[in-house]
Each structure stands twice: as structure tokens, then as C-alpha cells.
Amino acid sequence: MESLAKTAVLLLFSLMMLVVLPGLEARGLEVEESAKTPPPYSPIIASCAPKLPKNCGDEVKDSVLGLEGSVPTADCCRQLVRWGKTCHDAFAQLLVSREPASQKSSILTNSKTIWEGCVDVEESSPIISSCAAKLSKNCGDEMKQSVLGLQGSVPTDKCCRQLVRSGKTCHDAFAQLLVSREPASQKSSILENSKTIWEECVEVVAQPPVSS
């Protein structure tokens, strides 16, 4: 009887191993595969990625990683600024997640430097440079604050006349530049403010000046 009982226990143990081991092996394979597979892109990266050409993306990546001699071209800088700071910052965070922790600080510093440098390139583009010369600094500041929706910021009639003389192409170019420099969540309000300010300034110009 004792021998029979031992045989039954061994048989039961063998059957359990046949059932449990394949499951453990499969789970181990799943863990191994998941370790090999990079984490999926976040929604913002998935949305941003198609908007920047691959060659420019490679330039920005090499520059942010600090590879020697890697600097984005002026054309790539303009594309990057149109891409927007939200996308650029998300891209930098993606690189941080994929590189050794020791590189985090340099990656973020490089990313900030490249963005600021590219904004300077965009601001020195022919259309922005040409348009900037048509507005006084005070008027430019008034328009910026008004378009950003800062409380109590309304351009003066004098500034409105400068703005209308500079032309709608310039006004729209400034609005797009502001859009590129502010969080994506502000895009809609910036464009709406820009449209409203332009229309109001056109009305101001259409009215005869008040005689003193």
C-alpha cells in the first residue's frame, strides 16, 4: 500500500509539472519579449512625429545628443519652430528615456539651447525681419501681450495703425511665431486673439482720426 501511495504521489506531481511548467515558460518568454520591446510612443509623440521630416528629425536628434559637429541647418530650424515647443520638449524627454541616466542633464541642456537657437533663426527669417522693422518695439510688445491674452492688454489706436500698415501677412507671421513658442494648449486662443485684434485694428484705421 505504501509503495502504491508513493507511486500515485509521483504521478500526480509529474502531471502538475506538465501543466505548470509550460505556463511558466510562456510567461517568462512574455517578460523577455516585453523587455526587448521599447515602450510605445506617447500620444503626443505619435502626433508630432509625422510633422517633422525624417532628415530634420535626425539632425535635431544628433544635436540634442551632443554628437560632435551636429548642428541643425537653418531650414531644419524653421521646420522645428513650426513643429512647436511642445513637440520638441516631448522629443527630448523621449531621448532622455532611451539614453543612460548620466546623459539626462546634457540632453535637456542641449535641447533648450537648440530650441532657443532655432527660434533666433526663425525670428531672423526674411519675412519676420522685414515685418519687425515696420513696428516700433513698444507696439510690438503691445501686440504680443494682446495676442497672448494678457489681462488688460489692448493695442492703442496708434499701434493699430502701425499694425495695419505692416500688413496682414506680417501680423499672421507674428501670430504663428507666438504659437510655436507657447504650449500647444494655447494655440487656439492665440489664433483667435490674433484674428480679433486684426479686425479691431482695421476698424480703428477705417475711422477718421479725432481732430485735436
Side-chain angles (χ1 to χ4, degrees):
M1 287 293 291
E2 185 179 350
S3 176
L4 183 60
K6 288 182 179 179
T7 301
V9 170
L10 288 172
L11 180 59
L12 179 59
F13 180 76
S14 299
L15 288 172
M16 288 175 64
M17 288 300 98
L18 287 174
V19 172
V20 173
L21 282 177
L24 291 175
E25 290 175 359
R27 185 172 298 177
L29 286 173
E30 289 175 4
V31 171
E32 185 178 349
E33 287 301 316
S34 66
K36 292 178 182 177
T37 306
Y41 283 166
S42 65
I44 188 170
I45 288 291
S47 170
C48 292
K51 300 175 185 176
L52 193 69
K54 184 181 183 303
N55 61 330
C56 183
D58 290 342
E59 286 181 28
V60 174
K61 176 184 175 182
D62 291 348
S63 302
V64 171
L65 290 178
L67 300 187
E68 189 174 357
S70 298
V71 178
T73 62
D75 182 58
C76 180
C77 266
R78 294 185 181 101
Q79 294 181 62
L80 177 65
V81 173
R82 288 193 292 271
W83 201 40
K85 192 171 189 300
T86 299
C87 287
H88 179 67
D89 289 346
F91 183 56
Q93 289 297 334
L94 180 65
L95 291 178
V96 164
S97 71
R98 293 184 167 185
E99 299 297 323
S102 59
Q103 293 190 33
K104 178 178 179 179
S105 178
S106 63
I107 287 174
L108 295 180
T109 298
N110 291 343
S111 174
K112 181 175 182 291
T113 300
I114 289 163
W115 175 258
E116 291 173 349
C118 282
V119 167
D120 287 343
V121 169
E122 177 63 12
E123 289 181 344
S124 65
S125 66
I127 184 171
I128 294 294
S129 297
S130 171
C131 291
K134 299 175 184 178
L135 290 180
S136 67
K137 183 180 184 305
N138 286 343
C139 184
D141 290 341
E142 285 181 29
M143 285 299 165
K144 177 181 177 181
Q145 291 168 9
S146 301
V147 172
L148 290 178
L150 300 185
Q151 189 172 7
S153 298
V154 178
T156 62
D157 289 359
K158 180 180 178 181
C159 183
C160 268
R161 293 188 177 93
Q162 286 185 42
L163 176 69
V164 174
R165 282 197 298 270
S166 73
K168 193 169 187 302
T169 299
C170 286
H171 181 65
D172 290 345
F174 280 127
Q176 289 298 332
L177 182 61
L178 288 177
V179 163
S180 72
R181 300 179 73 170
E182 300 297 323
S185 59
Q186 293 189 33
K187 178 178 179 179
S188 177
S189 64
I190 287 174
L191 295 179
E192 185 61 33
N193 291 342
S194 173
K195 180 174 180 289
T196 299
I197 290 165
W198 175 260
E199 291 172 349
E200 290 177 351
C201 282
V202 167
E203 290 182 8
V204 168
V205 172
Q207 297 172 0
V210 178
S211 56
S212 54

